[in-house]
Amino acid sequence: FLLGVAIILQIITGILLALHYTSDLNSAYFSLFFLIREVFYGWCLRYFHSSGASFVFLFLFLHLGRAMFYGSYFYNPNTWFSGIILFLFLMAIAFMGYVLPFGQMSFWGATVITNLLSPFPSLIEWVSGGYCVHSPTLKRFFLFHYQLPKKKK
């Protein structure tokens, strides 16, 4: 139940944040400052969304630990594997959200993670929109971060 509430909170705050976010390379960082300083309770929206992501993973790990404690993976492996796939998708969605402010830490985090795909150059070009993290990467990550959670219904 708590995981569902946390995910619903993430979707609601994410939609409200997306109304003020700009996924342009030169203005993504400053659109967050505009959101925090100028939008009425914008700071609250941003921190609910960023803290809510931590709570989603906390509740997800508690759920995963409960399933491991009761041995659910043994009795119903198909459900277990589908849950693990959803967990990996959720990690990818969270990573793409981490990149969106496009500060120094998120830029270098995106560079390191996308370089993990370096054995597959065509995959890097597809994910990043080029051979380095730049404006197409930010636009694609915003699109994936915004659209992927809504497709799971």
Side-chain angles (χ1 to χ4, degrees):
F1 176 77
L2 291 175
L3 181 60
V5 169
I7 290 175
I8 288 171
L9 180 70
Q10 286 296 100
I11 290 173
I12 291 170
T13 57
I15 288 171
L16 294 174
L17 285 173
L19 294 174
H20 298 284
Y21 181 73
T22 305
S23 64
D24 183 46
L25 181 69
N26 297 320
S27 58
Y29 188 71
F30 297 110
S31 71
L32 286 178
F33 278 103
F34 175 79
L35 175 82
I36 291 171
R37 293 180 180 155
E38 302 296 328
V39 174
F40 193 60
Y41 284 106
W43 61 271
C44 189
L45 278 175
R46 180 175 183 228
Y47 292 117
F48 267 147
H49 195 69
S50 63
S51 300
S54 298
F55 279 109
V56 165
F57 278 102
L58 171 72
F59 296 140
L60 191 66
F61 285 133
L62 288 174
H63 181 73
L64 188 66
R66 183 187 66 175
M68 290 176 68
F69 179 75
Y70 288 115
S72 300
Y73 56 90
F74 183 70
Y75 297 113
N76 199 352
N78 292 333
T79 305
W80 174 261
F81 287 125
S82 65
I84 295 299
I85 295 298
L86 285 174
F87 172 66
L88 294 175
F89 275 128
L90 193 63
M91 285 178 55
I93 290 168
F95 165 70
M96 290 179 206
Y98 176 75
V99 173
L100 292 181
F102 216 66
Q104 282 292 317
M105 293 219 13
S106 57
F107 169 75
W108 289 110
T111 302
V112 168
I113 297 298
T114 54
N115 281 339
L116 289 176
L117 303 173
S118 60
F120 312 103
S122 60
L123 189 60
I124 288 182
E125 192 172 350
W126 181 77
V127 169
S128 298
Y131 292 106
C132 63
V133 176
H134 204 51
S135 187
T137 310
L138 189 61
K139 290 182 186 298
R140 289 173 187 199
F141 280 9
F142 175 66
L143 177 74
F144 291 145
H145 181 74
Y146 189 75
Q147 287 296 321
L148 285 178
K150 281 124 186 111
K151 297 293 182 184
K152 291 181 183 177
K153 291 182 181 178

